[in-house]
Amino acid sequence: VKDFSELFAQLYMEIGQKKLQPTGAPMAFYHEEDFNPENSDIEVGVPVAEGTPGAHTVPGGLYCYTTILGPYLHDVYTAAYASLGEWIDQNGYHISGAPFDLYVKGGEDVPPEDYVTEIYFPIAK
């Protein structure tokens, strides 16, 4: 997690080199069942035109999600992930794929208090 800035810098450098045009907000996918902020398999990406070589599609289906307004604060995100996990368990669902964050509004040009982040968990019964 501490390397997010570097990961996104590399992503946007590659996008520029390949002359790709993002079609939406950046995302971060978490591929490990037990998340560890110090050492986890995290994939960052942005939506691009369908059929772009090397791109893959986010699976359709049922998702449980929440929206966070404001800066990236560890305690706020931890509470949001925990709340989603509790709701999933209490309602008879299970996580069916890699959760991801969608950074709807953020970055260097946006004040942190105006950030908008959506957290998605793919779910199934």
Side-chain angles (χ1 to χ4, degrees), residues 2-74:
K2 66 180 173 22
D3 297 331
F4 262 20
S5 294
E6 182 181 322
L7 292 170
F8 279 109
Q10 290 173 359
L11 172 68
Y12 281 101
M13 184 175 69
E14 188 172 332
I15 287 170
Q17 290 172 344
K18 292 182 177 181
K19 297 180 175 33
L20 299 175
Q21 185 64 40
T23 60
M27 300 174 273
F29 294 83
Y30 304 95
H31 292 290
E32 295 190 34
E33 191 172 317
D34 294 323
F35 178 72
N36 175 348
E38 296 300 317
N39 186 21
S40 284
D41 182 10
I42 298 172
E43 174 186 12
V44 297
V46 293
V48 292
E50 191 172 328
T52 299
H56 62 272
T57 303
V58 175
L62 190 58
Y63 287 83
C64 176
Y65 83 99
T66 191
T67 302
I68 295 177
L69 306 175
Y72 305 133
L73 300 173
H74 177 74

Side-chain angles (χ1 to χ4, degrees), residues 93-122:
Y93 291 92
H94 65 274
I95 298 171
S96 61
F100 64 93
D101 297 342
L102 178 65
Y103 304 104
V104 177
K105 186 176 179 185
E108 296 175 3
D109 300 339
V110 178
E113 61 270 12
D114 292 339
Y115 288 177
V116 178
T117 306
E118 295 174 350
I119 300 170
Y120 289 85
F121 280 74

